Amino acid sequence: MIISIMKKKQALAITDDEKAELVQDMEALQMFAEKKCLNPDEKLDYSVQSLFIALFTSLPDTRPLSMSGYIEFLVDHLAIMPIKPQDKSAHPPSKNTIQLLQSCWEKGPDNVFLTMPLLFLHLSDTDNECSLAIGHLLQAVPEDYTSVVDPFVQNLSSLELWRLKSVIQRLISWLVVQGISGFGVWIVAIMESLASRGEFMMLRDIADENAYKVARALSFKTRRDDAFAVLRFLLLGYTHSPKLFNNVVQGLIPLLMSCRKPEDLEFSTQVCNLAQILAIHFGDNGDIEAKVSKARTFLRLPIVTRIDALQAIRDSSWKKSLQIQNTSAGSRTPKFTQPLGKVGLVNLGNSCFMSSALRALYCSSEFKNAVLNSAQKVDSTKVMTTRLRDTFVGLSTSRLSVFTPSPLYKALPDWLNDGHQQDAAEFTKILFSRLEDESPISKDALSSFRGVMINQVKCGTCTTVSTKKEDYYDLTVPLPKSDYTDLQSVVDVFPSEEVLSEENHNMYFCDKCQSLQAATRFTMLGALPLNLIVSVNRFEFDTKRSRRIKMNTPIHLSESIQVRVQESHEAQVYDLYGVVIHSGESANHGHYYTYAKEPDEPGSVDAWLLYNDTNISRSSFDGMQQALKSSRADTPYMLFFRRTGRTATLKNQNQVRSDLFGGSSSSSHGSNSFNRDREQQTALLYEQQNDFRMEELASKVSALNKITVDIHNEVHGQHALLDQNSNSFNDFGTSFATTIKKLNVMASQQLGKSMCWMVSAIVFVFFIVYFILSRTNSPE
């Protein structure tokens, strides 16, 4: 009914008002769908879920915006879909739901990687019957995404690994009994991952229970490709005993003899080569080798030499370490290969704040190596340490094109992994804090980021100086109040001086004076770390609008900066190697991505890469500058620097900035050339600033006029209220004086001292209450 009504409104919406009303109706349906379908506390039954599937199919604008929750709803719906095994219709019930998932996949590979773990969780669920619709979904996933299987298997515990046995047996059953094609590559991918975990006993059990059934499926031409890929993996890995081969080959030889047609030539060659390899490996097995030779001669198929046979056995061994093999099922290298063997991070739904920071931390070689190469075993209860190391292992495994950091994301506090956009700098602080609390290994890893800050407070009354030293892992610096700034200006905030006073509402409690006093606070850098993290404070609270806002002031980046220690005239030189970018106009929404380069990066010195979730592309420092210049909403937020060991003499701060923008020369001619270059660059900066200023000038003048009028009206109202309160207070003073005179008369007439004192007390209390009320109502 709703779908029909909305379809009619879509067809009849002609005017702008009608179209606006239609948009509002769609948004209302979308909000209702999100509330019902994405609520983990409210499980809908299958019939209600089907109504929402029909809604999403007919009205795409009603689909939920939260991609992770929406995908989970669709996969869960498929998992409980009642499909009869004999249902082989061209339009199964799962078709619409799978098409909805495919439309999600078309928006980016991240959505495929969000789907796959959910799919495998349902396949491995031994407590509930898995619907055949999940098989149809797996059939629809492109084979290029088999690379997601290995990280999924590697993250499973030893107990959870045994659930994969039922997954493989379920897929083999669907392949052999139901004849669903496309499963072979997935079955082989799971078994290869099990082999990389050393689960050889499980693979032997799977081979003993399923090899013969898979061999029988070779009789059906539509199932041959999948069945042969599985059978080849099982037989070439099962080399400890000829028993399995002897049982299977008895059925393979008659099948081989029946493949005489030209279209069967490729298949018969594959089967004959497999039989020859195993016959050579196991040696004399009665008449089996003779039967294989007879079938080969009859079909005029090529001979497999002993050298080739032994090489094939070695290449297909289950004990082939952790390297993923290319079997006859096809290559498992995904189509979206990453540059330089890098690994992308799957966006789990607004988890880009974590991925972007992890990217820069991973490019911090000292920190990365300390996490990866720790010789001391870390207790498994140290959740953050172990999961960070697992994530870094995933990023360093070049055979994978992507990695899903779900375990690390789930280890974060609940308020940080609730599916909403969070702060990348805040994530880094939480990560470092948890690592520091968990393990001495983590403390060693963090040492490359640890510096010392000195805070000195000088009392304005007694001139006593209080000094306090504290460690820091990152420096949060304010953003200059300007339309444009350079990187050196951003970091030139130390040493800093701050006035603590009553006017600023931050007076200092002096231990010597034992009271609040005006004071001056000095902040200096006492020691600098090897790797320096600078977080730009772009977000502030707007008291007028009562919400957080983002300051989009552009920063002209430079490849090096100079940082002073205390009041030294020499500065340490730091090179930029990572920039976390916040993209968006709002403080509460947006996207994070990272530009970074590793110190041991092969190739060019300027080997910058752009890391944007699963997408990784080559870039350069100039390319980054141009990209940031073209979009005012894309702003540097976190900056990562590495100490070079070089020092620079600081004559003054202006000289530092000029060196960063232009360069220097010992000769007067070079100095004049530098000055001309600097003037040109300054002129260019001013020209860029004028564009920003002119856009905001008119709105600022208008706002200033309005504020002036508002202030005038407010002051006028406050004066009127003060006059009213003053008149009331004068009237009360007159009444109070009259009352006092009467009391004096009563006392003089000796009408009773006790009565007089009682009345006086009542009048005094009344006066105090009235005074408090009058002060409360008066303006502050």
Side-chain angles (χ1 to χ4, degrees):
M1 178 66 73
I2 295 178
I3 296 175
S4 301
I5 294 174
M6 295 304 297
K7 285 283 189 182
K8 289 181 180 179
K9 292 190 72 172
Q10 279 183 324
L12 299 175
I14 299 177
T15 66
D16 292 340
D17 291 340
E18 290 173 340
K19 292 179 179 179
E21 183 181 355
L22 178 63
V23 171
Q24 291 179 354
D25 292 342
M26 290 293 187
E27 290 177 349
L29 285 174
Q30 185 184 66
M31 293 176 62
F32 176 74
E34 287 183 342
K35 181 179 179 181
K36 290 295 183 182
C37 300
L38 309 188
N39 185 0
D41 299 327
E42 183 177 354
K43 293 298 182 182
L44 305 178
D45 59 30
Y46 176 76
S47 58
V48 177
Q49 290 182 0
S50 299
L51 294 177
F52 280 106
I53 295 297
L55 178 67
F56 300 151
T57 302
S58 303
L59 303 173
D61 291 338
T62 63
R63 298 171 185 175
L65 295 177
S66 175
M67 194 58 65
S68 58
Y70 177 48
I71 290 175
E72 184 175 358
F73 168 76
L74 296 177
V75 176
D76 289 346
H77 177 69
L78 290 172
I80 61 174
M81 182 174 290
I83 296 182
K84 298 179 180 179
Q86 62 271 21
D87 185 2
K88 300 184 181 295
S89 61
H91 302 283
S94 58
K95 180 179 178 181
N96 288 340
T97 308
I98 292 176
Q99 287 178 344
L100 290 175
L101 282 166
Q102 288 174 326
S103 67
C104 296
W105 301 343
E106 292 171 358
K107 296 179 180 179
D110 282 7
N111 295 330
V112 182
F113 296 115
L114 289 175
T115 306
M116 295 307 298
L118 299 171
L119 189 151
F120 280 109
L121 285 175
H122 284 295
L123 282 174
S124 62
D125 187 358
T126 56
D127 298 328
N128 299 295
E129 182 64 27
C130 185
S131 171
L132 192 60
I134 292 292
H136 294 157
L137 175 60
L138 184 62
Q139 190 181 27
V141 179
E143 292 183 1
D144 301 283
Y145 292 96
T146 51
S147 58
V148 78
V149 173
D150 193 68
F152 173 78
V153 174
Q154 299 302 331
N155 288 328
L156 295 178
S157 65
S158 299
L159 294 177
E160 292 172 328
L161 277 177
W162 281 94
R163 299 174 64 181
L164 290 181
K165 180 180 179 181
S166 62
V167 174
I168 295 173
Q169 290 179 326
R170 177 174 285 141
L171 292 178
I172 289 176
S173 175
W174 285 346
L175 168 64
V176 174
V177 179
Q178 302 300 325
I180 302 179
S181 61
F183 283 171
V185 65
W186 296 100
I187 297 172
V188 172
I190 298 173
M191 292 192 296
E192 284 180 339
S193 297
L194 287 174
S196 71
R197 290 285 299 265
E199 298 294 335
F200 305 125
M201 291 301 298
M202 186 192 304
L203 291 173
R204 290 179 183 178
D205 291 342
I206 293 172
D208 288 333
E209 297 173 12
N210 298 281
Y212 189 72
K213 291 189 296 184
V214 174
R216 291 179 58 187
L218 296 175
S219 301
F220 302 91
K221 290 186 178 182
T222 58
R223 309 174 192 177
R224 280 180 178 174
D225 290 341
D226 293 307
F228 183 77
V230 176
L231 184 65
R232 186 178 190 277
F233 181 85
L234 293 176
L235 293 181
L236 291 182
Y238 195 99
T239 55
H240 64 287
S241 170
K243 180 180 179 181
L244 182 63
F245 169 64
N246 292 341
N247 292 335
V248 172
V249 78
Q250 300 294 340
L252 288 180
I253 292 177
L255 174 64
L256 190 60
M257 297 293 288
S258 65
C259 296
R260 303 177 184 178
K261 296 180 180 180
E263 60 267 23
D264 295 331
L265 178 61
E266 181 180 358
F267 170 70
S268 60
T269 301
Q270 291 177 337
V271 174
C272 185
N273 288 347
L274 176 62
Q276 290 182 78
I277 290 170
L278 292 171
I280 292 173
H281 172 72
F282 290 118
D284 187 12
N285 282 293
D287 58 348
I288 290 181
E289 189 171 0
K291 290 181 179 180
V292 172
S293 178
K294 181 178 179 181
R296 180 194 60 77
T297 303
F298 177 76
L299 297 173
R300 298 180 180 180
L301 298 177
I303 299 175
V304 176
T305 65
R306 182 174 183 82
I307 295 177
D308 292 339
L310 296 179
Q311 184 62 43
I313 292 292
R314 285 193 295 269
D315 291 341
S316 302
S317 171
W318 292 344
K319 298 181 180 180
K320 186 70 174 177
S321 69
L322 295 178
Q323 183 179 0
I324 294 181
Q325 300 298 315
N326 289 333
T327 67
S328 58
S331 173
R332 290 180 56 191
T333 302
K335 58 184 178 183
F336 41 88
T337 55
Q338 309 287 14
L340 303 175
K342 301 302 179 184
V343 180
L345 282 170
V346 175
N347 192 324
L348 305 171
N350 285 330
S351 65
C352 56
F353 71 94
M354 178 182 75
S355 300
S356 59
L358 287 175
R359 275 296 171 196
L361 292 174
Y362 185 77
C363 291
S364 307
S365 56
E366 296 79 14
F367 179 72
K368 176 185 70 174
N369 294 335
V371 172
L372 289 175
N373 302 331
S374 174
Q376 182 178 351
K377 185 176 180 181
V378 179
D379 189 352
S380 59
T381 60
K382 309 301 183 183
V383 177
M384 191 64 70
T385 304
T386 56
R387 294 188 179 180
L388 177 64
R389 183 164 59 186
D390 292 343
T391 301
F392 278 10
V393 169
L395 290 177
S396 61
T397 307
S398 60
R399 61 184 162 88
L400 305 175
S401 60
V402 294
F403 180 79
T404 305
S406 299
L408 179 62
Y409 184 68
K410 293 177 181 178
L412 298 175
D414 292 341
W415 61 269
L416 204 58
N417 64 4
D418 59 358
H420 293 86
Q421 184 60 271
Q422 302 293 345
D423 192 302
E426 186 68 22
F427 161 76
T428 305
K429 295 179 188 296
I430 295 295
L431 176 67
F432 282 6
S433 177
R434 293 278 293 272
L435 291 176
E436 192 173 35
D437 293 340
E438 283 190 355
S439 169
I441 299 175
S442 302
K443 292 182 180 180
D444 293 340
L446 293 173
S447 61
S448 63
F449 294 107
R450 186 182 297 115
V452 177
M453 184 176 293
I454 301 174
N455 289 303
Q456 292 183 338
V457 181
K458 181 178 181 180
C459 178
T461 302
C462 66
T463 68
T464 301
V465 177
S466 173
T467 302
K468 180 181 179 182
K469 294 183 179 181
E470 57 184 14
D471 292 342
Y472 67 87
Y473 290 114
D474 72 314
L475 295 177
T476 301
V477 298
L479 191 63
K481 300 291 185 180
S482 61
D483 294 329
Y484 204 81
T485 187
D486 61 273
L487 183 56
Q488 187 65 47
S489 298
V490 172
V491 299
D492 278 346
V493 294
F494 301 103
S496 65
E497 180 178 332
E498 180 183 7
V499 176
L500 308 178
S501 63
E502 184 176 2
E503 292 79 6
N504 295 333
H505 305 288
N506 59 351
M507 292 187 70
Y508 166 68
F509 184 85
C510 178
D511 292 334
K512 185 175 181 180
C513 300
Q514 287 297 302
S515 61
L516 292 174
Q517 299 291 338
T520 304
R521 177 164 56 199
F522 303 91
T523 302
M524 298 169 287
L525 300 179
L528 295 174
L530 179 62
N531 295 316
L532 177 65
I533 303 176
V534 176
S535 300
V536 182
N537 189 11
R538 287 192 173 273
F539 307 119
E540 66 177 15
F541 187 78
D542 187 344
T543 55
K544 185 175 181 179
R545 289 179 282 183
S546 298
R547 61 184 177 89
R548 291 176 75 235
I549 61 172
K550 177 188 176 183
M551 295 179 289
N552 286 324
T553 304
I555 298 177
H556 180 81
L557 298 179
S558 55
E559 295 185 84
S560 298
I561 61 169
Q562 299 172 5
V563 185
R564 284 194 296 173
V565 179
Q566 296 185 7
E567 295 295 341
S568 173
H569 293 292
E570 286 192 344
Q572 292 289 335
V573 178
Y574 280 81
D575 285 347
L576 182 69
Y577 71 90
V579 184
V580 175
I581 306 295
H582 180 268
S583 176
E585 298 286 351
S586 171
N588 301 316
H589 304 285
H591 179 62
Y592 289 98
Y593 59 92
T594 300
Y595 286 96
K597 64 176 182 178
E598 298 184 41
D600 54 351
E601 195 72 77
S604 172
V605 176
D606 195 25
W608 286 82
L609 292 177
L610 169 59
Y611 297 94
N612 193 347
D613 293 334
T614 55
N615 299 317
I616 302 175
S617 57
R618 295 180 183 273
S619 185
S620 64
F621 182 78
D622 292 337
M624 173 174 59
Q625 289 275 52
Q626 291 298 323
L628 295 178
K629 183 179 178 181
S630 64
S631 176
R632 185 175 173 85
D634 289 27
T635 53
Y637 182 48
M638 296 180 69
L639 304 152
F640 290 73
F641 302 91
R642 182 176 293 107
R643 193 171 62 205
T644 63
R646 306 191 307 272
T647 59
T649 301
L650 290 178
K651 297 179 181 179
N652 54 64
Q653 293 298 326
N654 292 329
Q655 182 64 40
V656 174
R657 296 191 185 96
S658 68
D659 290 344
L660 287 172
F661 275 103
S664 60
S665 174
S666 57
S667 66
S668 60
H669 175 74
S671 177
N672 293 332
S673 175
F674 162 73
N675 289 332
R676 287 195 299 270
D677 292 341
R678 183 184 175 192
E679 289 175 359
Q680 293 175 358
Q681 293 178 357
T682 303
L684 179 61
L685 289 178
Y686 278 125
E687 183 179 349
Q688 293 171 340
Q689 291 176 19
N690 287 336
D691 293 336
F692 300 132
R693 289 170 177 168
M694 291 300 295
E695 293 175 358
E696 300 174 359
L697 184 58
S699 60
K700 287 183 177 180
V701 171
S702 177
L704 185 60
N705 289 334
K706 184 178 182 303
I707 292 172
T708 304
V709 173
D710 292 341
I711 291 175
H712 178 269
N713 294 335
E714 181 68 17
V715 170
H716 184 270
Q718 296 291 352
H719 278 300
L721 186 58
L722 283 171
D723 292 339
Q724 181 182 353
N725 288 336
S726 177
N727 293 334
S728 300
F729 189 82
N730 290 335
D731 293 340
F732 172 77
T734 303
S735 301
F736 182 76
T738 303
T739 303
I740 294 298
K741 289 180 180 179
K742 291 180 179 180
L743 290 174
N744 290 333
V745 172
M746 291 172 63
S748 63
Q749 294 176 355
Q750 296 183 353
L751 295 177
K753 288 186 177 181
S754 59
M755 180 63 70
C756 182
W757 281 112
M758 183 178 300
V759 174
S760 299
I762 294 173
V763 172
F764 182 78
V765 171
F766 176 79
F767 172 78
I768 294 298
V769 173
Y770 185 87
F771 181 77
I772 293 174
L773 291 176
S774 65
R775 287 298 299 270
T776 302
N777 293 327
S778 65
E780 295 182 2

